[in-house]
Amino acid sequence: LAGRGEVRARQAFNEVSRSTEYGEASEDFSGFLLGTSEVKPDWERLDRLWFICRDLLGVSAGTDHAALLCLLGWIEWAKGRGSLALNLLKAALRTNPEYRLAQLLLRLLEAGEMPSWVADPERAWHRKLDGRLSA
């Protein structure tokens, strides 16, 4: 949800939490999660989320640790860095072998799927060499 911006994230969350019928925001979110969305990810927000998740790894355990590793894995996959994403998802499953999102994302990677935006220079992530080491 962080990658789509606050407004769209709240819309998707509200739809999912109040209904069994999913609307446009929920469909938008699922397409974004699976990398099939035509939108450009909010890379600044995702980069900040990456740093936050990385920093929280040191104080997390169990399912929370697996969730953070899974988020980091998805962000790396979204950036087009599949090998690193694969390692992070496998680490999440070593922490919690039953963590369903990590299982599903691992299948996606093992099938060779990459987000549509990776091949689009206008929407793809580009490394910023500004020397930042944290959020």
Side-chain angles (χ1 to χ4, degrees):
L1 291 173
R4 283 294 284 126
E6 183 179 354
V7 172
R8 208 59 175 154
R10 287 184 192 274
Q11 288 172 337
F13 179 77
N14 288 336
E15 282 179 10
V16 171
S17 64
R18 73 169 187 272
S19 170
T20 56
E21 293 184 30
Y22 302 123
E24 184 181 318
S26 300
E27 290 177 25
D28 176 48
F29 170 67
S30 64
F32 187 75
L33 180 65
L34 296 172
T36 59
S37 175
E38 292 300 318
V39 301
K40 177 181 179 178
D42 185 337
W43 293 117
E44 267 190 48
R45 288 176 66 89
L46 285 171
D47 284 340
R48 286 193 310 268
L49 177 62
W50 187 94
F51 284 116
I52 290 168
C53 291
R54 181 210 56 190
D55 292 348
L56 289 173
L57 279 175
V59 295
S60 64
T63 301
D64 294 336
H65 195 77
L68 290 168
L69 288 166
C70 192
L71 280 169
L72 288 168
W74 185 89
I75 293 169
E76 293 300 332
W77 174 77
K79 291 177 176 181
R81 301 183 335 178
S83 296
L84 181 52
L86 191 63
N87 288 334
L88 288 162
L89 293 171
K90 286 180 178 180
L93 290 171
R94 281 192 301 275
T95 301
N96 181 349
E98 302 302 316
Y99 198 72
R100 189 72 176 136
L101 183 57
Q103 293 172 348
L104 294 172
L105 290 174
L106 186 61
R107 284 187 186 171
L108 192 69
L109 266 74
E110 288 176 339
E113 295 293 328
M114 290 302 289
S116 63
W117 54 76
V118 169
D120 180 351
E122 296 295 318
R123 298 184 300 144
W125 175 79
H126 300 283
R127 181 188 307 264
K128 292 182 181 173
L129 299 175
D130 60 3
R132 286 187 339 180
L133 295 177
S134 68

